[in-house]
Amino acid sequence: MKILNIIKTLTLIDLLKGLKVTLKNFFKPKITVQYPEVKTPISNRFRGKLALMKYENGEERCIACKLCSAVCPANAISIDSEESEDGTRRTTRFDIDAFKCVYCGFCEEACPVDAIVETDIFEYHMTENHQRLQTKEMLLQLGDDYREKIVRKKEKDHHYK
Amino acid sequence: MSEPKITITIDDQEYKVNSGQMLIEATDQLGIHIPRFCYHEKLSIAANCRMCLVEVENSTNALPACATEVSEGMVVKTTSESAELAQQATMEFLLINHPLDCPICDQGGECELQDLAYSHGRNESRFEVKKRTLPDDNLGPLISTDMTRCILCTRCVRFGTEIAGLPELGTIGRGESSTISTFVEKTVDHELSGNMIDICPVGALNNKPYRYTDRTWELDQIESVSPHDCVGSNMFLHVKGDKIKRIVPKANPEINEVWISDRDRFAFDGIYSDDRLTVPMLRKNGVLEEATWEEAIDAFSKVLITLQNKKSKNGVAALISSSTALNEQYLYAYLMRSLGFNNIDHRIRQIDFTGDSLDPIFPNFDIKPHQIENMKSILIIGSDLRKETPLIAHWVKKAADQGASVNFINQEYSEYYFPIDNFILSGQEALAENLALVLKASNDDAVNKLPSHIEDVLNALPTPSLSHYQIAKSLANHEQSFLLSGLLCHSHSEYALIRSYLNLLSYVSNSSFGELTHGANATGAYLTGCIPHRKAFGESHELGLNALEMCTKNHQLIVLYGIEPEDCLYQEKLNQSIVGSQTTVQFSPFITPFMKENADIMFPLKTPYESKGAFINASGMIQDFNLQLDLAKDNPSNQELLLQIIEGSKLPMPSLDNLKEKIKKFIDETKNTHNRLLEIPEKVLKTTKNYSSVSSHLYDVDSITRRSRPLQQTKDALSQFSEDQ
């Protein structure tokens, strides 16, 4: 037994066995990407940063029913509302605390008018504590900026809902 | 009243129930729920929603539980297949025209239709034709309408006819085109109309100031008591964060049934007025500037100590509002009395003080509000009842509807929506005389005769007229008779004389007697010693100046606690006194331009909506309010503030332990020993009469109501404004 071990050690058989795996993988096609230059594809159902949508004529969708804040398991959404000048029910404050949000997507499901949506944005940062609050203006802006992308994403997934 | 018990079977279980009641009343008492929309325990039965259909054995059709009387051996199934089928069919019909706008409807979350749609509704509608829509009516500044949501249960219509007595809403049209509306376009103005918001089972009638602001599940509910009248209506504050969002009634069968007045419901808006005072103010070098609490308390204590050392007892005038909590009144009286200042009063809407020595320990009100309903004969003197205390007016209406004879002796005529037997309209100057004539008529054939020297006084009067005799007869003939003196009496220049007559009349006709008082806690003010002639618990004391005397003099120090000069009946006099006095200190939730110019120290107060405490209503019922609440947390509570001032003034700290219990015990002991003084003192008879017209304004009773935006837009407030012009 001892002799066999000595031969094994001297001929480096174990090492070559290991290198064989390396060599095999060396020529295999790669699945890692060079993030951030290259990005992995994202599912249509990916749940990222929240945004508020408008109708095509520019009118806000949100009707301040507060179902999203009611369903939110993390209490991340705070809303104030009142009767607007044209007599409709509108929000005066719509804050999402990004630190609290757990991206569960319940708000999107609860929304009766598809106002609050989850985008596929997951890369964002902030340097000050107060920046974690995303105000109504920021959320609407986000919805405007990524409108086409969001619409495309929702259209693709819509058959499965 | 024990009615014969009968046996009925509900859902395979036997129960003993009282005969004569409807099935739904029996099941409600037993805790079995039957769905309903149009049935309301305080309203008559309409049976038009058909939601409460249940299966009754031996009946071919399902029967409405609200309109089916229980009978011996009845077998009822509330959850059988045919009952559920009937209920589901009803629900489907109700939902045909009901819009699917729950997300924006303020009723969402507390909606009876929404709840039952979950349990009895279909998943989807089978109705493919266009839904009915209706234009909304403008019912005024208090109630918002979304008539498309209406399911025509007619609760609001029945409320108008039966509870308010003023049918402001009605059903117009037939079949598909029937709607609830005012007959001609007008606003809903009754002072109880806000209750339609609560009884509407859907979101058709809603709270206008609250419209679209919050959802029901966001609100915390806090038990409270109304600070605006002496009835002490129970209510719930609905609070989100540190802001009151709306007020709804809390049922109390002894005080307010299930209703509250619009004043109680909407006045709270005043506390969010722009002229709210949040920091103490101190006059430095002639300018009123913001100061720290310590500075302001120091400054005030110094003034108090200096005046105490000077022994200038009469140089200090201390006024307090009768709508302040019991503890505050007690501490305020303690502060002033301990420093030797006797001029303390809360009666800033009273003119005649000649009867002070005859004052009962606290204002009489022999019965509880709900007992008014059982009275068979009621005489109301000097009261604009509906505007002063809408809920007492409601109980009187209930009595009148049950056949009681209601009579008035009043300075001015206002409309009442119940039958009135005699209405003696007399000017200010003849009010006392008219009452005396009723007394004279009563004395003629009474069992309890008056002493002869009082008879002599009465004999000097002219012969009573027919209405006087009718009133006297009605009071004498009924064992359950009640005399009610209103706030106009209280502010009358012959108040003492009127009260003496009332005491005599109550003795002669063997009636109970009730006196309405200003503010929510006048009884407390009497018991805690906020009156110039008595200390706490009715102990007699060296006489100080009364409110009117205080207002007609200039002082070294004048202190207003919870009072604005506008609250005072003799505002001009008080203003002059404030201008003429050396130092003016005001404790107030608000700051007015006049006080900004004339006050030297100002302390911000918390309103009764933001602090906890207790009120004693006119009937001597002590009620805690807001025990779970503390809004405006940055500031010390009113009680802490007063304690700090007491400490600053180097006085021993008073004990507030068990104060409430002590007062409760004291009330119970003294309540039934009120001695009715069968006497009209010379002084009272010889009052110099100086009549001035006084009228009650529904929405001008205190600083909060005056600042409530919704109330000030009502017809009542606007008409008062045009009157003042």
Side-chain angles (χ1 to χ4, degrees), chain B residues 644-712:
Chain B
Q644 283 174 28
I645 292 169
I646 290 172
E647 202 183 353
S649 312
K650 313 265 183 308
L651 291 173
M653 288 306 248
S655 151
L656 285 173
D657 298 343
N658 304 326
L659 174 70
K660 213 174 61 198
E661 285 71 26
K662 274 190 236 162
I663 286 185
K664 199 172 170 129
K665 210 171 137 215
F666 185 76
I667 291 175
D668 291 342
E669 281 165 6
T670 43
K671 177 120 189 155
N672 298 321
T673 58
H674 277 323
N675 52 335
R676 292 277 147 72
L677 224 103
L678 299 182
E679 206 60 65
I680 311 175
E682 284 293 299
K683 195 170 71 170
V684 171
L685 263 177
K686 286 185 185 146
T687 329
T688 37
K689 276 98 188 172
N690 178 20
Y691 304 104
S692 55
S693 102
V694 182
S695 48
S696 304
H697 291 314
L698 188 54
Y699 299 137
D700 188 18
V701 290
D702 51 34
S703 52
I704 302 172
T705 326
R706 262 198 301 280
R707 286 173 172 80
S708 163
R709 283 161 298 173
L711 287 185
Q712 291 311 320

Side-chain angles (χ1 to χ4, degrees), chain A residues 66-77:
Chain A
K66 305 193 185 182
L67 289 177
C68 52
S69 77
V71 79
C72 181
N75 274 340
I77 308 176

Side-chain angles (χ1 to χ4, degrees), chain B residues 217-269:
Chain B
W217 58 80
E218 296 178 300
L219 305 169
D220 291 328
Q221 180 160 290
I222 285 152
E223 290 170 25
S224 190
V225 175
S226 159
H228 301 292
D229 59 31
C230 60
V231 185
S233 301
N234 289 198
M235 54 195 199
F236 284 118
L237 307 182
H238 281 182
V239 179
K240 183 187 172 193
D242 56 359
K243 209 165 172 212
I244 300 169
K245 292 294 185 174
R246 65 170 178 182
I247 287 176
V248 297
K250 179 183 173 219
N252 186 334
E254 290 190 338
I255 296 177
N256 56 323
E257 263 190 315
V258 294
W259 320 114
I260 54 174
S261 64
D262 289 359
R263 187 166 60 195
D264 301 340
R265 188 186 298 265
F266 296 104
F268 78 92
D269 183 75

Side-chain angles (χ1 to χ4, degrees), chain A residues 63 112-113, chain B residues 94-105 113-114 117-118 122-125 131-133 148-149:
Chain A
I63 49 163
V113 287
Chain B
L94 285 175
L95 289 178
I96 278 182
N97 280 320
H98 192 81
L100 202 61
D101 62 351
C102 300
I104 60 156
C105 176
L113 188 71
Q114 198 180 27
Y118 271 102
R122 290 171 60 89
N123 284 341
E124 50 199 50
S125 172
K131 285 192 175 202
R132 173 199 64 159
T133 53
T148 310
R149 293 179 191 147

Side-chain angles (χ1 to χ4, degrees), chain A residues 45-49 102-105 108 118-121 153:
Chain A
R45 294 179 190 178
F46 185 85
R47 302 196 297 261
K49 202 174 179 179
V102 294
Y103 306 97
C104 64
E108 188 178 338
E118 294 208 88
T119 63
D120 48 14
I121 305 165
K153 180 182 149 185

Side-chain angles (χ1 to χ4, degrees), chain B residues 210-480:
Chain B
Y210 169 78
R211 187 170 168 87
Y212 291 165
T213 51
D214 290 279
R215 307 313 302 263
T216 48
W217 58 80
E218 296 178 300
L219 305 169
D220 291 328
Q221 180 160 290
I222 285 152
E223 290 170 25
S224 190
V225 175
S226 159
H228 301 292
D229 59 31
C230 60
V231 185
S233 301
N234 289 198
M235 54 195 199
F236 284 118
L237 307 182
H238 281 182
V239 179
K240 183 187 172 193
D242 56 359
K243 209 165 172 212
I244 300 169
K245 292 294 185 174
R246 65 170 178 182
I247 287 176
V248 297
K250 179 183 173 219
N252 186 334
E254 290 190 338
I255 296 177
N256 56 323
E257 263 190 315
V258 294
W259 320 114
I260 54 174
S261 64
D262 289 359
R263 187 166 60 195
D264 301 340
R265 188 186 298 265
F266 296 104
F268 78 92
D269 183 75
I271 69 173
Y272 300 113
S273 137
D274 295 334
D275 57 356
R276 211 40 217 274
L277 182 66
T278 48
V279 283
M281 307 282 267
L282 196 58
R283 192 167 293 277
K284 293 174 195 159
N285 308 323
V287 189
L288 198 64
E289 290 173 5
E290 291 187 5
T292 62
W293 286 91
E294 289 75 26
E295 275 179 323
I297 291 169
D298 268 0
F300 184 40
S301 313
K302 258 183 213 146
V303 175
L304 288 174
I305 293 173
T306 326
L307 286 171
Q308 186 194 19
N309 294 339
K310 273 198 204 159
K311 304 238 184 300
S312 47
K313 274 184 189 174
N314 280 324
V316 181
L319 292 168
I320 182 167
S321 152
S322 52
S323 291
T324 43
L326 199 60
N327 280 0
E328 292 168 43
Q329 291 176 339
Y330 182 77
L331 290 175
Y332 188 73
Y334 173 86
L335 174 71
M336 293 303 165
R337 297 272 193 219
S338 308
L339 291 166
F341 308 142
N342 291 325
N343 305 337
I344 174 170
D345 209 346
H346 72 277
R347 299 167 298 174
I348 49 169
R349 295 190 69 82
Q350 190 173 325
I351 303 175
D352 180 16
F353 296 91
T354 45
D356 277 6
S357 54
L358 314 173
D359 265 350
I361 305 290
F362 56 91
N364 290 332
F365 207 103
D366 298 336
I367 54 176
K368 289 182 176 176
H370 75 286
Q371 287 166 324
I372 296 176
E373 188 186 351
N374 306 328
M375 294 297 151
K376 294 284 174 278
S377 172
I378 300 173
L379 172 60
I380 298 162
I381 309 104
S383 171
D384 196 349
L385 198 59
R386 278 176 52 215
K387 293 190 178 175
E388 289 166 4
T389 48
L391 279 151
I392 297 288
H394 164 65
W395 287 114
V396 172
K397 179 180 183 299
K398 277 191 105 172
D401 288 347
Q402 289 170 26
S405 148
V406 180
N407 303 289
F408 277 88
I409 302 179
N410 230 350
Q411 289 107 306
E412 50 190 60
Y413 184 79
S414 45
E415 228 172 325
Y416 291 91
Y417 305 113
F418 46 80
I420 297 172
D421 279 3
N422 291 290
F423 196 107
I424 300 180
L425 190 64
S426 78
Q428 289 265 350
E429 60 290 340
L431 193 69
E433 189 182 301
N434 271 309
L435 184 58
L437 289 175
V438 174
L439 179 61
K440 192 177 174 183
S442 295
N443 193 43
D444 283 355
D445 42 16
V447 188
N448 303 335
K449 281 275 184 187
L450 290 171
S452 58
H453 64 281
I454 293 175
E455 279 186 341
D456 292 344
V457 174
L458 295 178
N459 286 338
L461 295 168
T463 325
S465 72
L466 182 62
S467 0
H468 297 121
Y469 273 110
Q470 279 175 347
I471 296 174
K473 206 172 161 195
S474 149
L475 288 172
N477 285 354
H478 295 103
E479 208 172 295
Q480 305 270 14

